[in-house]
Amino acid sequence: MNTETSELKTVGNQEVPPRPDLLWKDLFTDVQRRAIFDDSKTFVDLVPLASPESILSTYHHVKAEHKLDDEALKTFVLEHFAPAETAAVAYNPDPNEDVTTHIDELWTALTRQPQSKKSPYSSRIALPAAYVVPGGRFDEIYYWDSYFTMLGLLESGRSELVRDMVQNFAYLIDTFGHIPNGNRTYYLSRSQPPFFASMVDLLAGVDGDDVYRRYLPELEKEYAYWMDGADQLQPGEARRRVLRLEDGTLLNRYWDDLAEPRQEAYVEDVETAEASSRDHAMVWRNLRAGAESGWDFSSRWLKDGKTLTTIRTIDIAPIDLNSLLYHLERTLVKANELAGHTDKIDHYRERAAQRLQAIRTRFWNAEQDYYGDYLWQEDKLTGVISAAMAFPLFYGIATPEQARGVAATLERELLKPGGLSSTTTTTGQQWDQPNGWAPSQWIAIEGLKRYDNTQLARTIASRWIHTNLERYNEEHKLIEKYNVINNQRAGGGEYPAQDGFGWTNGVLRALMADYPDVH
């Protein structure tokens, strides 16, 4: 065995093992390719009961002595690995309890405490403070999910847990230079929609503006991660997550530093690449970039609008991502003003102004009145109408006229009986019609309210609340996503709809407080 692949690397104040494919080598490949578990994520989250050298040595011996069928291979894995070391708190909801009580009690079940002891070869990255997981198969913190979870935590009076989670994200930035998709080793090569500045906003609303000064170093490090390589770019070039247009404007795209199958979706990614005539590494890079977007997956990223093999995420400057980066730039202006760092203010203000102008022009479809995703090499929009169009309203980027246009398009194209649909097309991907998601509802509702369109905001909120409550009354649980057309249990994507569920709980709790007469 090449012992280098199992060496622990000290990062920050903890030892981090290699990601599972490097750690378990042919055992990883055999388990994943043969789909020993129904979910590819199962194996990479298991905790080894001995050292990698010992387990692999035993595996190679058994493999040489016996022909391992699928059942025998699964038996071997279950003998040498155990489930994750952070067990969920048991929670058996009372079917007669109201949904607000359910959410308030569920936070405890979804909270994970810092680990004092852990397997050195677990894929889980230890965090210094408590955090809330989404639920179901997602038993780790997730970056953009957490912002929407925090909305509900604050409404439930759990501000200390919000402080803990912001502290954890600052720790991840300080330790790894960015906030990964989640606190797993196999997520370190990418991030997720950068909501850290908005999390700081939430906490500042509780603790005051000193929060901006406290987290200014991490805000600047996050910005450096997303803008890495910008200073060396020539017009028309891109590097990692940043690109420069012909006129010099800087924009951002989603990316992943690896071009191989995702460890937690290995067999799915292999099958997608094998079904394509494209270079497999290019398919995998784009799949991973799609995972960084949080919209994994959607017609937003598909060249033909329907087939996953045509995914082209890295060719697109997304409207939501660039709105988030604009907000980060404006937040850095504010934080540096508060800190008295006058030498940096003009730099961030200029970056924000340049991005604002680009969003209002290049991302805007004046004929159909919507904000879309921008094909930066072709200087045109993708043509996909999606709920992401509300981000420029949420962050105050849209002109009043554009905001009116977006409102009309949302109502005409995406508003369904149960809330906003993700897109106008049905592809079988989970971020397409008929599915609606909690974060999209919140961004649209708050964005519309920012531009004084309280009537449409209320309509969306009312329909979404009723969708959630109807399913809760039927199943006594809240789930990851909802079918907003007929409220049948949502499907699509790589895995079944998950119970829990962090951001559904957070957004519903906040909306029910904002619209107390709706339910």
Side-chain angles (χ1 to χ4, degrees):
M1 174 186 173
N2 180 357
T3 57
E4 290 183 356
T5 61
S6 65
E7 289 181 352
L8 297 170
K9 180 181 179 182
T10 301
V11 182
N13 63 357
Q14 70 171 290
E15 291 185 322
V16 179
R19 59 181 193 265
D21 59 318
L22 298 178
L23 196 59
W24 302 111
K25 303 173 78 174
D26 58 323
L27 175 57
F28 169 87
T29 306
D30 291 346
V31 169
Q32 299 293 55
R33 276 193 175 274
R34 291 164 60 176
I36 298 303
F37 298 100
D38 292 337
D39 187 341
S40 292
K41 194 175 184 299
T42 300
F43 178 65
V44 295
D45 290 354
L46 294 176
V47 178
L49 300 176
S51 70
E53 291 85 356
S54 174
I55 291 175
L56 282 172
S57 176
T58 303
Y59 179 62
H60 293 149
H61 175 74
V62 171
K63 193 176 177 181
E65 294 290 323
H66 308 281
K67 179 175 174 59
L68 293 177
D69 59 18
D70 291 353
E71 184 178 350
L73 178 55
K74 185 173 185 178
T75 298
F76 177 89
V77 170
L78 296 178
E79 287 176 350
H80 293 85
F81 294 81
E85 65 274 30
T86 55
V89 174
Y91 172 55
N92 297 308
D94 180 349
N96 297 314
E97 70 185 0
D98 64 86
V99 73
T100 300
T101 302
H102 173 76
I103 292 171
D104 289 349
E105 293 183 359
L106 193 55
W107 293 134
T108 300
L110 294 173
T111 298
R112 302 291 178 266
Q113 299 297 330
Q115 299 159 255
S116 56
K117 293 181 180 180
K118 64 183 284 290
S119 165
Y121 294 103
S122 167
S123 64
R124 188 189 306 273
I125 295 167
L127 295 173
Y131 56 95
V132 176
V133 303
R137 73 197 287 266
F138 303 112
D139 194 38
E140 51 277 315
I141 202 169
Y142 280 81
Y143 183 2
W144 81 306
D145 293 55
S146 296
Y147 171 75
F148 301 95
T149 297
M150 289 175 185
L151 299 170
L153 288 171
L154 289 177
E155 203 58 54
S156 297
R158 305 293 296 272
S159 57
E160 189 58 43
L161 195 46
V162 173
R163 292 187 191 95
D164 284 345
M165 292 173 72
V166 174
Q167 179 188 343
N168 283 329
F169 286 124
Y171 168 81
L172 288 167
I173 293 173
D174 289 334
T175 302
F176 299 103
H178 71 288
I179 298 174
N181 188 150
N183 61 318
R184 293 281 183 183
T185 57
Y186 53 78
Y187 284 148
L188 284 172
S189 60
R190 64 177 179 269
S191 186
Q192 267 194 332
F195 270 90
F196 183 67
S198 293
M199 296 177 185
V200 171
D201 289 338
L202 285 181
L203 190 55
V206 177
D207 293 344
D209 281 354
D210 187 58
V211 172
Y212 291 103
R213 287 189 291 268
R214 187 187 322 154
Y215 289 110
L216 176 56
E218 289 80 17
L219 288 165
E220 290 188 322
K221 288 175 187 175
E222 164 135 292
Y223 189 66
Y225 171 79
W226 284 93
M227 302 304 292
D228 178 49
D231 294 340
Q232 291 76 45
L233 286 181
Q234 297 300 310
E237 290 184 348
R239 182 183 187 278
R240 298 184 78 202
R241 292 162 179 82
V242 67
L243 57 98
R244 188 181 294 276
L245 302 183
E246 293 295 343
D247 66 358
T249 300
L250 291 170
L251 295 173
N252 288 83
R253 64 177 178 177
Y254 290 114
W255 181 257
D256 190 298
D257 293 327
L258 297 177
E260 57 191 55
R262 291 169 292 159
Q263 288 78 32
E264 77 286 2
Y266 187 86
V267 69
E268 293 88 349
D269 286 1
V270 169
E271 289 174 353
T272 299
E274 289 177 346
S276 168
S277 59
R278 302 163 66 194
D279 174 68
H280 288 187
M282 183 58 68
V283 175
W284 293 328
R285 173 89 71 193
N286 279 281
L287 287 168
R288 285 173 164 272
E292 181 169 85
S293 79
W295 284 56
D296 44 341
F297 293 104
S298 169
S299 57
R300 289 179 68 189
W301 318 126
L302 309 181
K303 186 172 184 178
D304 70 355
K306 57 184 179 182
T307 313
L308 194 57
T309 54
T310 69
I311 191 166
R312 57 172 178 178
T313 320
I314 66 173
D315 297 335
I316 295 168
I319 183 59
D320 42 4
L321 175 60
N322 282 280
S323 298
L324 285 157
L325 265 296
Y326 167 80
H327 178 64
L328 177 53
E329 288 159 345
R330 291 300 307 167
T331 304
L332 285 166
V333 170
K334 179 175 184 175
N336 277 289
E337 286 175 339
L338 290 168
H341 299 164
T342 55
D343 56 320
K344 297 180 180 180
I345 294 170
D346 287 345
H347 170 71
Y348 292 121
R349 185 178 285 134
E350 181 180 334
R351 285 276 181 90
Q354 187 182 58
R355 196 185 299 267
L356 176 74
Q357 179 62 22
I359 292 174
R360 286 179 172 178
T361 55
R362 296 179 185 272
F363 291 79
W364 178 248
N365 184 318
E367 294 180 357
Q368 295 178 268
D369 281 346
Y370 74 91
Y371 276 109
D373 299 314
Y374 179 64
L375 289 163
W376 59 276
Q377 292 164 304
E378 301 178 37
D379 189 27
K380 67 177 185 180
L381 299 182
T382 63
V384 175
I385 292 176
S386 81
M389 74 171 77
F391 271 78
L393 279 64
F394 187 77
Y395 287 115
I397 296 167
T399 67
E401 182 181 6
Q402 288 173 334
R404 286 192 292 271
V406 167
T409 304
L410 284 171
E411 186 169 18
R412 181 181 67 251
E413 301 288 345
L414 296 178
L415 183 61
K416 305 299 179 185
L420 290 179
S421 177
S422 298
T423 66
T424 60
T425 58
T426 302
T427 63
Q429 299 301 330
Q430 63 176 350
W431 282 87
D432 280 317
Q433 189 173 267
N435 289 347
W437 296 72
S440 299
Q441 318 301 315
W442 182 263
I443 294 294
I445 292 164
E446 293 300 303
L448 289 164
K449 287 162 61 177
R450 184 167 187 158
Y451 287 83
D452 298 321
N453 193 333
T454 56
Q455 183 175 348
L456 181 56
R458 181 181 179 85
T459 298
I460 296 169
S462 176
R463 293 187 184 189
W464 182 253
I465 290 170
H466 285 138
T467 293
N468 283 215
L469 294 183
E470 181 182 327
R471 182 128 315 268
Y472 176 74
N473 291 334
E474 184 176 324
E475 299 187 37
H476 308 297
K477 61 181 65 171
L478 295 167
I479 55 176
E480 178 188 23
K481 59 200 176 219
Y482 291 82
N483 181 323
V484 295
I485 292 180
N486 58 28
N487 206 13
Q488 297 299 307
R489 210 170 206 273
E494 298 175 320
Y495 54 85
Q498 299 295 298
D499 302 331
F501 193 87
W503 62 17
T504 300
N505 306 346
V507 168
L508 180 60
R509 187 71 169 82
L511 287 178
M512 290 179 71
D514 289 347
Y515 298 91
D517 59 320
V518 166
H519 49 90

